[in-house]
Amino acid sequence: MGQQLTSTFRLFRMMGIINDESKYGQITVWGIVLHAFKTIKTAYYFKKAYHPGLFHTRDFNVNRARWWRKMGCHVGKNVSIGHSVAADVGNADLIYIEDDVILTNHCIILCHRRNMKNYRKGDNGTKLPYMYAPVTLKKGCQIGMGSIIMPGVTVGEGAIIGARSVVTKDVPAWTIAVGNPCKVIKEVPPREYE
């Protein structure tokens, strides 16, 4: 990788706690403390958004957006987040959700994944580095139930993602896309006024 790894990182890697050199290779003891605090805080807010408990407010989908903001996500106005929607908690600051977005139940938003570029037969997959990339959900898009949004994806304004889709590439504005991998099947027509 070309950089000198800190003794803190080497110790925590030896203990099996962290392994990602690209993100944590230069971490210090103080950095570990701050990271642990941020992770605990983010997990607390995620739990609040994911498991609301017995008492639901009248419009809990909209109120979940408040908890996501506290996790570090960039969330616009009028965002509706359904039950059991999972954010990439450790990378919440890479999630950008514009106004009027609808995330239906059981969706997953990921901002990191293993970098498989140099993976070869006989390699240990747990030693692969991670790739990090933001996810952007543009104004008014709708994400269908159980869909997975992969790192680096932008879903365009007004686009609709069908249920159980795996979105691996950008989806243009005002289109309908479905499947695994997700593909555009239709453009949303403009409204014609008399």
Side-chain angles (χ1 to χ4, degrees):
M1 180 151 208
Q3 65 179 354
Q4 184 69 23
L5 303 174
T6 63
S7 55
T8 304
F9 171 78
R10 290 195 307 266
L11 174 67
F12 277 83
R13 179 170 60 184
M14 186 177 70
M15 293 170 28
I17 296 172
I18 56 177
N19 190 36
D20 187 2
E21 285 183 24
S22 63
K23 189 169 185 178
Y24 301 110
Q26 298 300 302
I27 201 159
T28 63
V29 172
W30 181 243
I32 291 284
V33 170
L34 291 176
H35 179 70
F37 176 74
K38 179 184 172 190
T39 302
I40 290 166
K41 181 181 110 182
T42 302
Y44 169 78
Y45 290 124
F46 180 71
K47 184 176 185 277
K48 290 286 237 180
Y50 196 80
H51 300 291
L54 297 174
F55 303 102
H56 293 264
T57 60
R58 194 168 140 258
D59 194 5
F60 202 81
N61 286 359
V62 173
N63 288 332
R64 277 191 189 99
R66 180 180 64 167
W67 296 113
W68 279 46
R69 285 184 198 101
K70 289 183 182 248
M71 282 190 322
C73 299
H74 309 274
V75 180
K77 298 175 190 164
N78 259 357
V79 171
S80 178
I81 300 173
H83 174 68
S84 300
V85 176
D88 192 337
V89 176
N91 301 293
D93 58 328
L94 294 176
I95 297 173
Y96 297 86
I97 303 173
E98 295 184 359
D99 298 346
D100 304 316
V101 169
I102 298 171
L103 283 160
T104 57
N105 298 347
H106 305 288
C107 293
I108 301 172
I109 300 176
L110 297 173
C111 298
H112 79 289
R113 67 175 179 85
R114 298 263 185 199
N115 184 349
M116 306 299 279
K117 184 178 179 182
N118 293 318
Y119 185 58
R120 300 293 182 264
K121 191 179 203 178
D123 286 354
N124 182 345
T126 63
K127 303 291 185 202
L128 291 172
Y130 285 95
M131 294 174 60
Y132 299 89
V135 168
T136 303
L137 304 178
K138 294 290 195 175
K139 182 178 179 177
C141 71
Q142 301 173 50
I143 311 300
M145 188 175 289
S147 294
I148 301 172
I149 311 295
M150 296 300 288
V153 167
T154 296
V155 177
E157 180 179 352
I160 297 173
I161 304 300
R164 313 260 311 155
S165 295
V166 179
V167 186
T168 59
K169 295 181 180 170
D170 291 353
V171 175
W174 301 106
T175 59
I176 298 172
V178 299
N180 178 7
C182 193
K183 293 182 179 161
V184 173
I185 60 165
K186 182 179 179 181
E187 287 189 25
V188 176
R191 181 163 307 282
E192 294 178 17
Y193 295 97
E194 294 180 17

